[in-house]
Short mmCIF file of all heavy atoms in Angstrom, two decimals:
data_model
loop_
_atom_site.label_atom_id
_atom_site.label_comp_id
_atom_site.label_asym_id
_atom_site.label_seq_id
_atom_site.Cartn_x
_atom_site.Cartn_y
_atom_site.Cartn_z
N THR A 378 24.80 7.27 -5.65
CA THR A 378 24.19 6.19 -4.89
C THR A 378 24.94 5.96 -3.58
O THR A 378 24.33 5.75 -2.54
CB THR A 378 24.19 4.90 -5.73
OG1 THR A 378 23.62 5.22 -7.01
CG2 THR A 378 23.37 3.81 -5.08
N GLY A 379 26.29 6.04 -3.64
CA GLY A 379 27.09 5.84 -2.44
C GLY A 379 26.75 6.84 -1.35
O GLY A 379 26.57 6.48 -0.18
N LEU A 380 26.65 8.11 -1.75
CA LEU A 380 26.34 9.17 -0.78
C LEU A 380 24.96 8.92 -0.16
O LEU A 380 24.76 9.10 1.05
CB LEU A 380 26.38 10.52 -1.49
CG LEU A 380 26.14 11.74 -0.59
CD1 LEU A 380 27.25 11.87 0.44
CD2 LEU A 380 26.03 13.00 -1.41
N LEU A 381 24.00 8.46 -0.98
CA LEU A 381 22.66 8.20 -0.47
C LEU A 381 22.67 7.07 0.56
O LEU A 381 21.98 7.16 1.58
CB LEU A 381 21.71 7.85 -1.62
CG LEU A 381 21.17 9.05 -2.38
CD1 LEU A 381 20.34 8.59 -3.56
CD2 LEU A 381 20.34 9.93 -1.46
N TRP A 382 23.45 6.04 0.27
CA TRP A 382 23.52 4.94 1.24
C TRP A 382 24.11 5.42 2.55
O TRP A 382 23.66 5.02 3.63
CB TRP A 382 24.34 3.77 0.67
CG TRP A 382 23.48 2.90 -0.16
CD1 TRP A 382 23.43 2.85 -1.52
CD2 TRP A 382 22.50 1.96 0.32
NE1 TRP A 382 22.48 1.95 -1.93
CE2 TRP A 382 21.90 1.38 -0.83
CE3 TRP A 382 22.07 1.57 1.58
CZ2 TRP A 382 20.89 0.43 -0.73
CZ3 TRP A 382 21.07 0.62 1.67
CH2 TRP A 382 20.50 0.06 0.52
N LEU A 383 25.12 6.31 2.43
CA LEU A 383 25.72 6.89 3.63
C LEU A 383 24.65 7.65 4.43
O LEU A 383 24.54 7.53 5.65
CB LEU A 383 26.86 7.82 3.22
CG LEU A 383 27.78 8.27 4.35
CD1 LEU A 383 28.61 7.11 4.84
CD2 LEU A 383 28.68 9.41 3.88
N LEU A 384 23.83 8.44 3.68
CA LEU A 384 22.78 9.23 4.33
C LEU A 384 21.75 8.33 5.01
O LEU A 384 21.32 8.58 6.13
CB LEU A 384 22.06 10.09 3.28
CG LEU A 384 22.60 11.47 2.98
CD1 LEU A 384 21.78 12.12 1.88
CD2 LEU A 384 22.57 12.33 4.23
N VAL A 385 21.36 7.26 4.30
CA VAL A 385 20.26 6.42 4.78
C VAL A 385 20.68 5.57 5.98
O VAL A 385 19.90 5.36 6.90
CB VAL A 385 19.71 5.56 3.63
CG1 VAL A 385 18.91 4.39 4.15
CG2 VAL A 385 18.86 6.41 2.71
N ILE A 386 21.94 5.10 5.96
CA ILE A 386 22.40 4.28 7.08
C ILE A 386 23.06 5.14 8.15
O ILE A 386 22.74 5.03 9.33
CB ILE A 386 23.36 3.17 6.59
CG1 ILE A 386 22.61 2.21 5.67
CG2 ILE A 386 23.95 2.41 7.77
CD1 ILE A 386 23.46 1.16 5.03
N GLY A 387 23.96 6.03 7.71
CA GLY A 387 24.70 6.86 8.68
C GLY A 387 23.81 7.91 9.31
O GLY A 387 23.90 8.16 10.52
N GLY A 388 22.94 8.52 8.50
CA GLY A 388 22.09 9.62 8.99
C GLY A 388 21.32 9.26 10.25
O GLY A 388 21.46 9.92 11.28
N PRO A 389 20.51 8.18 10.21
CA PRO A 389 19.73 7.81 11.40
C PRO A 389 20.63 7.52 12.61
O PRO A 389 20.30 7.93 13.73
CB PRO A 389 18.99 6.54 10.97
CG PRO A 389 18.90 6.64 9.50
CD PRO A 389 20.15 7.34 9.05
#
Side-chain angles (χ1 to χ4, degrees):
Chain A
T378 309
L380 183 65
L381 279 175
W382 275 102
L383 193 70
L384 271 178
V385 162
I386 295 175

